[in-house]
Amino acid sequence: MLISTEVPLYSLQDINDNRVDFKVSETELKDFALGETVNLIGRDGSTRIGGTVESIRRKAN
């Protein structure tokens, strides 16, 4: 098979430095606090990731 020079064949990622950004409705913001431990569940229902709330930013109007 021929592969173009622009096509990445692999990627490297530090498993100790991952971030997830997600949107939370304004009415649910009160349910989260900085430093809180959270558990995220993937859309497939079986992928589970634990983490810590590092920052909370409100979207500008």
Side-chain angles (χ1 to χ4, degrees):
M1 177 189 282
L2 296 176
I3 299 174
S4 172
T5 57
E6 294 85 29
V7 175
L9 298 178
Y10 60 88
S11 65
L12 299 177
Q13 183 173 346
D14 182 351
I15 61 170
N16 297 312
D17 187 26
N18 291 302
R19 297 180 190 275
V20 176
D21 291 325
F22 57 93
K23 296 177 183 180
V24 176
S25 70
E26 191 172 339
T27 58
E28 293 177 326
L29 278 178
K30 66 182 179 351
D31 298 332
F32 297 93
L34 290 177
E36 177 182 8
T37 300
V38 294
N39 294 304
L40 306 175
I41 302 171
R43 289 183 180 173
D44 64 2
S46 63
T47 302
R48 297 175 186 273
I49 302 170
T52 304
V53 177
E54 185 177 281
S55 67
I56 298 174
R57 295 183 305 265
R58 295 181 190 271
K59 184 177 177 181
N61 290 335

XYZ file of all heavy atoms in Angstrom:
475
model
N 0.849 -1.170 0.000
C 0.000 0.000 0.000
C 0.898 1.238 0.000
O 1.900 1.273 0.685
C -0.904 -0.014 1.234
C -1.760 1.236 1.327
S -2.633 1.390 2.889
C -3.956 0.278 2.654
N 0.506 2.220 -0.751
C 1.241 3.486 -0.761
C 0.578 4.461 0.200
O -0.652 4.569 0.257
C 1.253 4.077 -2.165
C 1.980 3.251 -3.219
C 1.822 3.906 -4.587
C 3.442 3.111 -2.865
N 1.395 5.181 0.959
C 0.881 6.167 1.918
C 1.526 7.506 1.617
O 2.740 7.596 1.430
C 1.204 5.734 3.361
C 0.551 4.392 3.660
C 0.760 6.788 4.362
C 0.910 3.813 5.002
N 0.722 8.537 1.593
C 1.217 9.884 1.358
C 2.121 10.306 2.508
O 1.956 9.879 3.656
C 0.029 10.849 1.249
O 0.486 12.179 1.203
N 3.074 11.174 2.235
C 4.003 11.626 3.276
C 3.321 12.458 4.348
O 3.849 12.631 5.431
C 5.144 12.456 2.664
O 4.578 13.556 1.944
C 6.011 11.626 1.752
N 2.134 12.988 4.104
C 1.426 13.800 5.092
C 0.582 12.978 6.055
O 0.051 13.487 7.027
C 0.510 14.829 4.406
C 1.253 15.879 3.611
C 1.562 15.395 2.196
O 0.809 14.580 1.656
O 2.571 15.849 1.643
N 0.414 11.690 5.811
C -0.454 10.842 6.620
C 0.322 10.319 7.829
O 1.338 9.647 7.671
C -0.987 9.650 5.797
C -1.798 8.704 6.672
C -1.813 10.150 4.628
N -0.135 10.646 9.052
C 0.564 10.134 10.230
C 0.343 8.625 10.379
O -0.757 8.114 10.173
C -0.073 10.896 11.397
C -1.384 11.373 10.884
C -1.246 11.523 9.402
N 1.380 7.895 10.720
C 1.279 6.459 10.901
C 1.040 6.092 12.363
O 0.539 5.032 12.669
C 2.547 5.774 10.408
C 2.860 5.957 8.927
C 4.170 5.273 8.574
C 1.721 5.398 8.084
N 1.435 6.964 13.265
C 1.249 6.724 14.693
C 1.311 8.053 15.428
O 1.711 9.073 14.873
C 2.316 5.765 15.240
C 3.720 6.271 15.065
C 4.307 7.093 16.028
C 4.466 5.953 13.939
C 5.592 7.572 15.864
C 5.743 6.430 13.774
C 6.315 7.232 14.740
O 7.582 7.696 14.579
N 0.910 8.047 16.668
C 1.027 9.240 17.500
C 1.486 8.817 18.885
O 1.243 7.689 19.319
C -0.304 9.988 17.585
O -1.256 9.200 18.244
N 2.171 9.694 19.568
C 2.649 9.443 20.921
C 1.873 10.325 21.882
O 1.586 11.473 21.581
C 4.140 9.766 21.029
C 5.060 8.958 20.137
C 6.491 9.449 20.295
C 4.983 7.486 20.471
N 1.557 9.781 23.029
C 0.807 10.547 24.014
C 1.292 10.165 25.401
O 1.499 8.984 25.689
C -0.686 10.241 23.886
C -1.531 11.043 24.830
C -3.008 10.840 24.558
O -3.391 10.310 23.518
N -3.827 11.243 25.477
N 1.481 11.162 26.243
C 1.867 10.926 27.628
C 0.616 10.537 28.404
O -0.301 11.348 28.556
C 2.492 12.187 28.215
C 2.963 12.006 29.640
O 2.669 10.968 30.259
O 3.632 12.922 30.152
N 0.532 9.315 28.885
C -0.674 8.854 29.582
C -0.871 9.556 30.925
O -1.931 9.457 31.524
C -0.663 7.328 29.781
C 0.526 6.899 30.634
C -0.693 6.604 28.463
C 0.468 5.451 31.064
N 0.137 10.279 31.378
C 0.014 11.005 32.645
C -0.408 12.457 32.448
O -0.505 13.202 33.413
C 1.334 10.946 33.406
C 1.693 9.523 33.779
O 0.857 8.798 34.300
N 2.915 9.123 33.499
N -0.610 12.881 31.220
C -0.956 14.282 30.949
C -2.094 14.347 29.932
O -1.902 14.719 28.788
C 0.260 15.037 30.430
C -0.008 16.527 30.289
O -0.874 17.052 31.012
O 0.646 17.169 29.447
N -3.274 13.955 30.347
C -4.446 13.992 29.477
C -5.447 15.002 30.019
O -5.580 15.168 31.223
C -5.112 12.613 29.412
C -4.252 11.626 28.681
O -3.916 11.840 27.543
N -3.898 10.550 29.338
N -6.161 15.647 29.132
C -7.172 16.625 29.526
C -8.444 16.369 28.745
O -8.408 15.962 27.598
C -6.689 18.039 29.233
C -5.469 18.415 30.025
C -5.031 19.825 29.706
N -3.751 20.093 30.292
C -3.564 20.499 31.532
N -4.595 20.676 32.307
N -2.364 20.731 31.995
N -9.550 16.643 29.400
C -10.850 16.534 28.763
C -11.586 17.827 29.032
O -11.709 18.249 30.174
C -11.671 15.343 29.326
C -13.048 15.307 28.707
C -10.935 14.042 29.119
N -12.030 18.477 27.979
C -12.866 19.675 28.115
C -14.284 19.272 27.751
O -14.500 18.619 26.732
C -12.404 20.788 27.166
C -11.057 21.359 27.564
O -10.789 21.433 28.773
O -10.285 21.728 26.662
N -15.236 19.653 28.577
C -16.616 19.351 28.234
C -17.524 20.459 28.714
O -17.189 21.232 29.613
C -17.063 17.994 28.783
C -16.928 17.841 30.271
C -17.990 18.128 31.107
C -15.755 17.398 30.823
C -17.882 17.991 32.474
C -15.628 17.252 32.195
C -16.688 17.542 33.021
N -18.649 20.550 28.075
C -19.635 21.587 28.390
C -20.602 21.073 29.441
O -21.026 19.918 29.397
C -20.408 21.987 27.138
C -19.547 22.614 26.081
C -20.361 22.925 24.848
C -19.465 23.499 23.760
N -20.220 23.819 22.564
N -20.936 21.947 30.359
C -21.906 21.640 31.405
C -22.929 22.763 31.388
O -22.574 23.931 31.278
C -21.223 21.575 32.791
C -22.225 21.363 33.893
C -20.165 20.497 32.803
N -24.200 22.421 31.487
C -25.215 23.471 31.494
C -25.034 24.351 32.721
O -24.529 23.915 33.766
C -26.625 22.870 31.475
O -26.907 22.254 32.703
N -25.430 25.594 32.594
C -25.261 26.575 33.669
C -25.928 26.109 34.964
O -25.421 26.351 36.055
C -25.832 27.919 33.224
C -25.484 29.054 34.135
C -25.894 30.398 33.574
O -26.074 30.514 32.353
O -26.039 31.329 34.382
N -27.034 25.415 34.846
C -27.741 24.955 36.046
C -27.003 23.810 36.749
O -27.259 23.549 37.921
C -29.171 24.486 35.700
O -29.088 23.434 34.726
C -29.996 25.637 35.153
N -26.064 23.143 36.054
C -25.311 22.045 36.654
C -23.944 22.466 37.188
O -23.263 21.666 37.828
C -25.134 20.918 35.645
C -26.435 20.236 35.269
C -26.245 19.175 34.216
O -25.379 19.350 33.338
O -26.955 18.163 34.272
N -23.523 23.705 36.930
C -22.210 24.161 37.387
C -22.052 24.031 38.899
O -20.970 23.747 39.396
C -21.961 25.611 36.969
C -21.471 25.831 35.547
C -21.309 27.319 35.270
C -20.169 25.102 35.307
N -23.130 24.221 39.635
C -23.070 24.147 41.098
C -22.695 22.754 41.589
O -22.265 22.576 42.723
C -24.406 24.569 41.692
C -25.561 23.619 41.361
C -26.869 24.085 41.928
C -28.047 23.219 41.616
N -27.947 22.143 40.687
N -22.818 21.747 40.730
C -22.524 20.372 41.108
C -21.028 20.033 41.031
O -20.632 18.927 41.393
C -23.296 19.399 40.216
C -24.799 19.552 40.363
O -25.250 19.960 41.444
O -25.518 19.256 39.391
N -20.197 20.978 40.560
C -18.762 20.737 40.390
C -17.967 21.747 41.192
O -18.349 22.905 41.323
C -18.374 20.838 38.905
C -19.043 19.804 38.058
C -20.248 20.072 37.421
C -18.474 18.553 37.905
C -20.876 19.111 36.651
C -19.104 17.586 37.129
C -20.299 17.869 36.506
N -16.820 21.301 41.721
C -15.935 22.184 42.485
C -14.492 21.908 42.079
O -14.132 20.775 41.721
C -16.112 21.936 43.973
N -13.655 22.935 42.129
C -12.241 22.767 41.818
C -11.628 21.738 42.756
O -11.913 21.720 43.950
C -11.501 24.097 41.948
C -11.820 25.138 40.898
C -11.083 26.429 41.192
C -11.462 24.643 39.512
N -10.809 20.872 42.215
C -10.140 19.846 42.995
C -10.973 18.601 43.238
O -10.476 17.611 43.766
N -12.224 18.644 42.839
C -13.119 17.500 43.035
C -12.730 16.349 42.108
O -12.352 16.552 40.962
C -14.552 17.930 42.749
C -15.573 16.834 42.842
C -16.980 17.307 42.489
O -17.148 18.449 42.030
O -17.893 16.510 42.670
N -12.817 15.134 42.613
C -12.587 13.944 41.799
C -13.876 13.611 41.049
O -14.950 13.622 41.634
C -12.186 12.751 42.681
O -10.989 13.093 43.377
C -11.951 11.508 41.854
N -13.739 13.356 39.751
C -14.903 13.033 38.925
C -14.638 11.742 38.157
O -13.505 11.356 37.932
C -15.238 14.171 37.927
C -15.692 15.405 38.658
C -14.055 14.482 37.037
N -15.703 11.077 37.786
C -15.627 9.876 36.955
C -16.424 10.135 35.688
O -17.593 10.476 35.741
C -16.203 8.671 37.699
C -15.361 8.313 38.895
O -14.171 8.076 38.759
N -15.957 8.292 40.068
N -15.756 9.999 34.548
C -16.394 10.214 33.257
C -16.724 8.865 32.644
O -15.936 7.929 32.711
C -15.465 10.991 32.329
C -14.928 12.312 32.874
C -13.931 12.911 31.901
C -16.062 13.266 33.149
N -17.886 8.779 32.044
C -18.316 7.555 31.381
C -18.487 7.862 29.900
O -19.188 8.804 29.529
C -19.645 7.036 31.983
C -19.469 6.782 33.482
C -20.096 5.768 31.268
C -20.767 6.483 34.202
N -17.840 7.071 29.053
C -17.910 7.275 27.611
C -19.289 6.972 27.059
O -20.124 6.336 27.703
N -19.522 7.406 25.853
C -20.817 7.173 25.197
C -21.126 5.697 25.041
O -22.282 5.303 24.970
C -20.841 7.848 23.827
C -20.905 9.336 23.909
C -20.995 9.946 22.533
N -21.055 11.387 22.635
C -21.004 12.201 21.618
N -20.899 11.708 20.394
N -21.060 13.492 21.783
N -20.087 4.870 24.985
C -20.324 3.434 24.838
C -20.795 2.788 26.135
O -21.196 1.634 26.151
C -19.075 2.730 24.317
C -17.902 2.821 25.286
O -18.042 3.385 26.391
O -16.820 2.316 24.927
N -20.739 3.529 27.236
C -21.211 3.025 28.519
C -20.205 2.177 29.271
O -20.374 1.915 30.451
N -19.142 1.746 28.605
C -18.172 0.895 29.291
C -16.826 1.580 29.527
O -16.068 1.138 30.384
C -17.963 -0.399 28.512
O -17.422 -0.124 27.242
N -16.522 2.621 28.770
C -15.272 3.354 28.973
C -15.436 4.279 30.169
O -16.350 5.101 30.202
C -14.913 4.168 27.720
O -14.811 3.291 26.608
C -13.611 4.919 27.906
N -14.558 4.135 31.152
C -14.631 4.953 32.365
C -13.263 5.540 32.649
O -12.257 4.835 32.613
C -15.105 4.126 33.542
C -16.511 3.600 33.340
C -16.943 2.683 34.457
N -18.242 2.097 34.155
C -19.404 2.671 34.442
N -19.424 3.841 35.049
N -20.534 2.073 34.128
N -13.250 6.852 32.933
C -12.008 7.568 33.199
C -12.207 8.413 34.446
O -13.199 9.124 34.567
C -11.629 8.486 32.017
C -11.490 7.671 30.734
C -10.365 9.260 32.314
C -11.359 8.511 29.497
N -11.263 8.346 35.367
C -11.311 9.184 36.557
C -10.418 10.396 36.371
O -9.453 10.362 35.611
N -10.750 11.479 37.050
C -9.941 12.685 36.939
C -10.270 13.681 38.028
O -11.036 13.394 38.949
N -9.674 14.850 37.919
C -9.858 15.921 38.888
C -10.257 17.185 38.151
O -9.691 17.506 37.106
C -8.538 16.172 39.646
O -8.119 14.945 40.243
C -8.717 17.214 40.730
N -11.227 17.922 38.699
C -11.641 19.200 38.109
C -10.500 20.195 38.322
O -10.138 20.503 39.447
C -12.945 19.720 38.751
C -13.305 21.082 38.179
C -14.080 18.732 38.554
N -9.926 20.654 37.212
C -8.776 21.543 37.266
C -9.171 23.004 37.094
O -8.540 23.896 37.644
C -7.788 21.139 36.172
C -6.508 21.895 36.193
C -5.568 21.378 35.129
O -4.941 20.336 35.357
O -5.502 22.016 34.059
N -10.191 23.260 36.308
C -10.643 24.629 36.102
C -12.115 24.629 35.695
O -12.615 23.652 35.141
C -9.814 25.352 35.042
O -10.016 24.797 33.774
N -12.787 25.722 36.019
C -14.178 25.921 35.629
C -14.246 27.311 35.009
O -13.895 28.299 35.658
C -15.132 25.825 36.837
C -15.040 24.419 37.453
C -16.564 26.157 36.416
C -15.832 24.273 38.746
N -14.662 27.376 33.763
C -14.739 28.659 33.055
C -16.151 28.848 32.545
O -16.715 27.967 31.920
C -13.763 28.672 31.884
C -12.327 28.596 32.308
C -11.396 28.686 31.121
N -11.670 27.677 30.096
C -11.053 26.514 30.003
N -10.153 26.189 30.876
N -11.353 25.682 29.049
N -16.679 29.982 32.822
C -18.017 30.319 32.308
C -17.859 30.897 30.900
O -16.932 31.642 30.623
C -18.704 31.327 33.203
C -19.003 30.779 34.571
C -19.722 31.822 35.419
N -19.818 31.404 36.780
C -20.809 30.677 37.286
N -21.783 30.288 36.498
N -20.831 30.322 38.543
N -18.765 30.528 30.043
C -18.750 31.024 28.667
C -19.251 32.462 28.656
O -20.242 32.786 29.315
C -19.646 30.150 27.799
C -19.632 30.519 26.355
C -20.497 29.546 25.566
C -20.548 29.952 24.125
N -21.409 29.042 23.353
N -18.577 33.298 27.906
C -19.000 34.692 27.791
C -20.299 34.785 27.011
O -20.564 33.992 26.110
C -17.921 35.500 27.069
N -21.138 35.733 27.370
C -22.410 35.934 26.661
C -22.179 36.644 25.354
O -21.365 37.425 25.180
C -23.374 36.746 27.514
C -23.864 35.930 28.703
O -23.871 34.722 28.645
N -24.219 36.606 29.774
